[in-house]
Amino acid sequence: RCPSGISNTAIGLSPGFSVLKNAGFLEDGSFFYDVHNTIVKALRSLFARKQLENANKHLNEVYMKDLLTGVYNRVAFGNEIAPDINKYHAKGIACALSFVDADDFKKINDEYGHARGDRVLKIIASTLKNNCPEDGVVCRYGGDEFVIFYPVSDVNVVEEYENNVHKALAMQQISISIGTIVTDPVSSKSFDEYISEADTRMYENKKEKKSRR
């Protein structure tokens, strides 16, 4: 049974306090005050916990992102990509691993300065990310090297992605070399072996382009 006046009571809550209107019923006994106080403390605790979770999530995102380009960094590469590949392989889904390296990057830094070099890296990173297939991840592996991962439902997606990236970068007069490996879900190859193969293919691509000059 509601005490006298409680039906007309309005309660406003905020993270640290509450406001009660027509709260004369509290004078009838401390029980209702104690209940109200317990609720407020619980809500305050939940709010503080949520703030902490949000702060930790933000810090984790900062820790996993490359400060210059905004894509994932090498820490995320190890923490995110390898587990994702295992997850897709368990479902029988193949994945693409691409190793990317900017062409003539040292020459760009030497002739135009590091500011230009940084801008080139940002453009490459955003181009790789904006064209990346669904559920893909782009990481800056180090220096002017990037690694891209995405599940493959159709092998044509790989060629389409690489063509789109090359065309977009060509408009900015930027060239990159790409080496891609499509994983086999039932293969015993390790994650590091796939990365090594993609890296080798990338250097073969770079060597081939230099031989045509």
Side-chain angles (χ1 to χ4, degrees):
R1 181 180 177 182
C2 295
S4 175
I6 195 170
S7 60
N8 294 321
T9 299
I11 302 178
L13 295 175
S14 76
F17 59 89
S18 63
V19 177
L20 280 73
K21 183 179 179 182
N22 299 329
F25 70 91
L26 292 176
E27 297 178 0
D28 297 338
S30 62
F31 172 74
F32 301 106
Y33 176 80
D34 292 339
V35 171
H36 167 261
N37 197 39
T38 299
I39 292 173
V40 171
K41 286 182 177 179
L43 290 172
R44 190 187 311 162
S45 177
L46 287 172
F47 180 77
R49 190 181 308 165
K50 187 63 177 177
Q51 281 188 312
L52 182 60
E53 289 176 359
N54 290 340
N56 286 336
K57 182 179 179 181
H58 176 70
L59 288 174
N60 186 59
E61 288 178 352
V62 170
Y63 178 66
M64 303 277 271
K65 292 291 182 69
D66 176 59
L67 294 179
L68 176 64
T69 62
V71 298
Y72 285 106
N73 58 24
R74 193 162 179 170
V75 174
F77 166 79
N79 292 349
E80 298 291 325
I81 293 183
D84 278 352
I85 286 180
N86 292 333
K87 178 182 70 176
Y88 283 110
H89 281 184
K91 298 178 181 178
I93 300 173
C95 301
L97 272 174
S98 298
F99 212 101
V100 174
D101 186 85
D103 293 335
D104 301 317
F105 189 69
K106 184 178 184 303
K107 182 178 179 181
I108 293 172
N109 277 331
D110 291 344
E111 294 187 7
Y112 302 102
H114 289 280
R116 168 62 180 170
D118 286 350
R119 182 170 178 272
V120 167
L121 292 178
K122 290 178 181 179
I123 293 173
I124 292 174
S126 62
T127 303
L128 293 173
K129 183 178 179 180
N130 292 340
N131 289 278
C132 195
E134 187 177 0
D135 296 325
V137 177
V138 177
C139 295
R140 184 183 178 193
Y141 193 71
D144 60 330
E145 297 176 329
F146 296 84
V147 172
I148 305 98
F149 151 80
Y150 50 94
V152 176
S153 56
D154 182 350
V155 292
N156 293 324
V157 171
V158 176
E159 184 177 359
E160 181 182 355
Y161 173 57
E162 294 184 7
N163 286 340
N164 289 340
V165 167
H166 282 304
K167 288 178 182 178
L169 291 177
M171 295 177 65
Q172 301 277 350
Q173 296 183 320
I174 297 172
S175 174
I176 62 172
S177 296
I178 304 178
T180 300
I181 290 291
V182 176
T183 67
D184 181 355
V186 298
S187 172
S188 60
K189 283 184 182 179
S190 69
F191 176 68
D192 289 339
E193 286 177 311
Y194 278 122
I195 286 295
S196 179
E197 288 185 21
D199 188 27
T200 298
R201 288 195 180 186
M202 181 273 293
Y203 277 107
E204 289 174 352
N205 178 235
K206 188 180 290 287
K207 184 178 179 180
E208 181 184 352
K209 286 192 292 185
K210 285 183 178 180
S211 67
R212 295 199 301 262
R213 292 178 181 176

